[in-house]
Amino acid sequence: MSSLLLEVYRRLLAAYGPQQWWPGETPFEVMIGAILVQNTAWKNVEKAIRNLKERDLLEPNRLYSVPLVELEELVRPAGYYRIKARRLQNLLKFVVERYDGSLERMFQTDLHTLREELLSLHGIGPETADSILLYAGGLPSFVVDTYTYRVLARHGWIGFDATYHDIQEQFESELPQDVRLYNEFHALLVRVGHLHCRKTPRCQGCALAELLPESGPLEPE
DNA sequence: CACCAGGCAAGTA
DNA sequence: TACTTGCATGGT
C-alpha cells in the first residue's frame, strides 16, 4: 500500500460508504454550522439553523444586521448561545467588511492566508477554520477533531500527545491533496467515532478492531 | 440522576 | 509551558 492512512481510508469507505458531508444546502449555511457545532451535538444545531432559515437569515448581510440579543435567542438551541452569537457576529463582520459579504470572493483567497485570517478571529480555532475551508470553501485543508484524535491514538498511529498540527501534517503529507478525499475521510472518522469510539471507558465491539490491526485504550494508561 | 456532544478562550501556577 | 475551568442546550 502507498500509505497506511490511505489504506485506512479505503477500508472505512468500504465498510461505511460515502457520508455525504457536510449537511447544509449552501456554503454559508455550512459556515454558520461550523461555529454552532462547537462541542455540541449536531441535532441541537439543526434547530438553530432552522430558526435562521425560517426567518430567511442565511445570508451574510442580513444575518449581520440582526441585533445581538435577537441572534442569541435564535441560536439558543445550539447551546453556549451567548458565546456563539458573539462568535457568529465576529465572523460575519469579517466577511462583510473584508470580502463585501461575498463568500465566493473570500474563498478565492490563498488557502494559507485565509486560514490565518480565520484563526485571527475570536472564537475560531483550528477545527472550525478547517471545517469552513474544506466543507464551505472546497479548499484542501484536512479537519482534525476529537474523533480523529481518539480513533488514531487508540489504534497507535499517533501518540496520545500529538497536537492538532501534528495530526493535520500527517494526513496532508501522506495523502494526495484531494478535497473529495479530505472531505470523505474526516466524515468517516466521525462516523466510526460515533459508533465505537465515544468517551466510554473501552472500545467495545469496535468495528475497526476487525477492520484494522488493533484497538487499544481510549485514554493513555 | 449523571454524562456527553463534530471547541475555544481565559485563568492559574 | 501545562493543566483547569466556563460556556449551555438537549439527547441517552
Side-chain angles (χ1 to χ4, degrees), chain A residues 25-219:
Chain A
E25 297 177 4
T26 65
F28 186 69
E29 181 178 338
V30 171
M31 186 176 78
I32 297 309
I35 298 271
L36 294 177
V37 79
Q38 290 171 354
N39 197 42
T40 299
W42 178 254
K43 193 77 180 180
N44 294 351
V45 177
E46 289 180 323
K47 291 187 152 198
I49 299 258
R50 190 158 58 243
N51 286 342
L52 300 176
K53 197 174 289 189
E54 280 170 0
R55 291 164 179 75
D56 199 27
L57 290 173
L58 286 180
E59 191 278 326
N61 292 288
R62 287 200 295 279
L63 193 56
Y64 185 47
S65 72
V66 175
L68 182 59
V69 287
E70 215 172 297
L71 186 58
E72 287 178 349
E73 287 313 306
L74 292 170
V75 303
R76 188 164 189 149
Y80 305 132
Y81 64 94
R82 280 180 287 200
I83 282 181
K84 284 177 178 175
R86 179 60 80 184
R87 289 178 180 180
L88 285 175
Q89 285 196 336
N90 293 340
L91 175 58
L92 292 166
K93 176 183 170 70
F94 167 76
V95 172
V96 168
E97 293 184 356
R98 163 126 198 160
Y99 293 105
D100 196 28
S102 166
L103 292 197
E104 290 186 0
R105 272 185 219 173
M106 183 174 87
F107 289 127
Q108 282 169 9
T109 306
D110 164 72
L111 170 58
H112 180 70
T113 304
L114 180 56
R115 188 173 193 272
E116 290 305 312
E117 287 180 352
L118 291 172
L119 287 175
S120 75
L121 300 177
H122 202 281
I124 294 193
E127 186 188 337
T128 307
D130 290 327
S131 296
I132 291 170
L133 291 166
L134 180 65
Y135 290 106
L139 301 173
S141 206
F142 202 93
V143 180
V144 177
D145 71 343
T146 60
Y147 290 126
T148 313
Y149 168 80
R150 278 182 205 163
V151 173
L152 268 66
R154 130 180 291 183
H155 288 270
W157 300 321
I158 58 171
F160 283 105
D161 60 343
T163 65
Y164 189 101
H165 185 70
D166 293 338
I167 299 170
Q168 184 179 48
E169 279 294 299
Q170 189 165 344
F171 277 93
E172 294 190 353
S173 63
E174 284 191 33
L175 299 172
Q177 187 174 325
D178 181 331
V179 170
R180 183 69 203 164
L181 172 64
Y182 285 9
N183 178 322
E184 201 58 57
F185 202 165
H186 173 247
L188 283 163
L189 286 167
V190 174
R191 178 77 200 289
V192 74
H194 275 140
L195 291 173
H196 301 289
C197 214
R198 303 194 140 219
K199 210 169 182 178
T200 42
R202 281 265 166 186
C203 202
Q204 299 171 356
C206 177
L208 278 180
E210 301 169 22
L211 210 56
L212 304 166
E214 174 187 358
S215 128
L218 177 60
E219 309 281 350

